[in-house]
Amino acid sequence: MLTLENLKTFCAAHDIPAFRAKQIMQAVFQEGAESFSDISTLSAPLKKLLEEKAGAGAPELQISTVKPTAQEVSSDNSTVKILFELPDGATIEGVLMRFNDGRRTVCISSEVGCPLKCKFCASGTLRFKRSLTWEEMADQVMYFSRYLKRQKEELNHVVYMGIGEPFRNYTNLMKSLQTIMDPQYIGLGARKITVSTAGIADKIKQFADEPFQVNLALSLHAPTQELREKIMPIALRFKLPELMEAVDYYIKTTKRRISFEYVMLKGVNDSAECAHQLAKLIKGMLCHVNLIPYNATDIEEMKGSEKQTIREFQDILNEAGIPATTRVSLGQDIAAACGQLANKAQKPVTSAIPSYKNAPLLKKKLLKK
Ligand code: SF4
């Protein structure tokens, strides 16, 4: 990965003025340059030298560890899903969502496949291969940041809610968070970042003790141990009382609100009784409930709740004094919404991402240079 220190060392070793190191960092991470050749302030011989050394594999000159190989754009242009190839050939997906209120949110993956196998989640059907490195997580964010910068837009939120369970990969998760918060890269504020867990109770406590203000979301999805076990196998390992005790610790330690994610599954967890049970479970907690309309996947036995059912569920929570809202779901038509990421809808290509100037928001096309 590029760092100022590495670039300074490179410059010194090749008799290049030190100020070039800063110039390169600025161009790549603040202005959106995709390659050294894109940096107009560098001389042609210097661009050539940097490209040659990077092409020969110099680790300190690699702009990214994730290579975009295909993209799809939703019909309303709000959502861009990218299939990334990793250095070992494995693939993951990341999604950029543009909301009308100005939010530019990126959802990134933390693992290749997910071993937790939640019953409603398309990502859980992917074979688990490995956890991502911290560079692979941070580079997804950097990629989208550059993508937006080329369109004169700024990335302002990051959620770790793509493929995988981030808390299974805790050390790399922490390093990726530190990287995207580092001003030499994106300098994103901690409060603009949310890490989502399916319920690894001991890591929730560890996360509470971290010295930063990154938000936490817990994918609860069921109000009882019995139902949770049915749809989330991780519930067998971390039972509801232990989980809620960890949540309590998190809230008391950080004094921050936790978000409970609750996907609305028709006839599974969307009854009025479930709503009352949920209200009872979390009553008095500093929290917010995000009701998530279920997005179509190939999982036959799971269907989304009706709109009216979601409204009634939300009303029960609100009447019990629980702040609850229903999530606006973007990117359903390109299988980029919650629970839909499955590395499926795209064909691998070898060409790189074009700049926005050349090819703004291609519609459901593979990328071409
Ligand atoms: S919901 Fe999250 S934890 Fe569960 S299978 Fe999908 S990606 Fe994994």
Side-chain angles (χ1 to χ4, degrees), residues 50-122:
L50 289 162
E51 291 292 1
E52 271 172 15
K53 297 283 181 194
E60 71 278 17
L61 293 181
Q62 300 307 314
I63 289 180
S64 183
T65 53
V66 301
K67 185 171 146 202
T69 55
Q71 84 170 5
E72 287 187 16
V73 179
S74 62
S75 52
D76 62 0
N77 275 1
S78 66
T79 308
V80 181
K81 179 169 76 168
I82 298 287
L83 181 75
F84 291 109
E85 189 179 302
L86 308 179
D88 62 357
T91 53
I92 50 162
E93 285 180 332
V95 181
L96 165 68
M97 290 158 283
R98 286 181 271 207
F99 294 90
N100 288 337
D101 61 7
R103 272 178 299 152
R104 299 293 178 262
T105 301
V106 163
C107 174
I108 64 159
S109 296
S110 57
E111 296 184 294
V112 180
C114 184
L116 298 196
K117 312 254 169 263
C118 300
K119 297 282 189 265
F120 48 83
C121 176

Side-chain angles (χ1 to χ4, degrees), residues 18 38 47 52 75 77 85 93-94 99 102 150 160 163 172 184 190 195 208 210 220 271-272 275 309 317 362:
D38 282 351
K47 285 182 193 177
E52 271 172 15
S75 52
N77 275 1
E85 189 179 302
E93 285 180 332
F99 294 90
R150 292 199 300 277
Y160 285 67
I163 303 168
N172 281 316
Q184 75 169 315
V195 173
E210 298 291 348
L220 193 56
S271 65
T309 311
L317 293 176
L362 298 176

Side-chain angles (χ1 to χ4, degrees), residues 213-313:
Q213 310 264 305
V214 173
N215 301 305
L216 179 65
L218 168 63
S219 294
L220 193 56
H221 303 320
T224 63
Q225 175 63 24
E226 194 189 358
L227 182 52
R228 207 162 183 270
E229 275 178 22
K230 279 190 188 151
I231 56 174
M232 300 182 77
I234 187 68
L236 294 163
R237 167 81 179 78
F238 296 100
K239 301 216 161 31
L240 205 47
E242 183 185 358
L243 195 53
M244 297 319 281
E245 198 254 313
V247 168
D248 210 39
Y249 179 85
Y250 173 86
I251 295 169
K252 285 200 174 108
T253 307
T254 64
K255 316 264 182 303
R256 288 202 305 274
R257 192 178 76 158
I258 190 168
S259 290
F260 292 115
E261 309 290 304
Y262 196 101
V263 67
M264 295 296 291
L265 301 166
K266 187 175 186 173
V268 176
N269 64 354
D270 64 349
S271 65
E273 189 191 3
C274 283
H276 287 294
Q277 286 169 330
L278 178 60
K280 195 170 164 205
L281 181 71
I282 61 178
K283 181 112 186 137
M285 283 187 165
L286 186 57
C287 69
H288 178 266
V289 178
N290 253 327
L291 299 176
I292 307 170
Y294 184 64
N295 302 301
T297 66
D298 290 344
I299 304 167
E300 286 285 314
E301 58 276 25
M302 293 292 174
K303 299 274 178 280
S305 308
E306 305 293 336
K307 275 189 183 157
Q308 180 62 21
T309 311
I310 300 176
R311 263 197 297 274
E312 286 166 12
F313 198 97

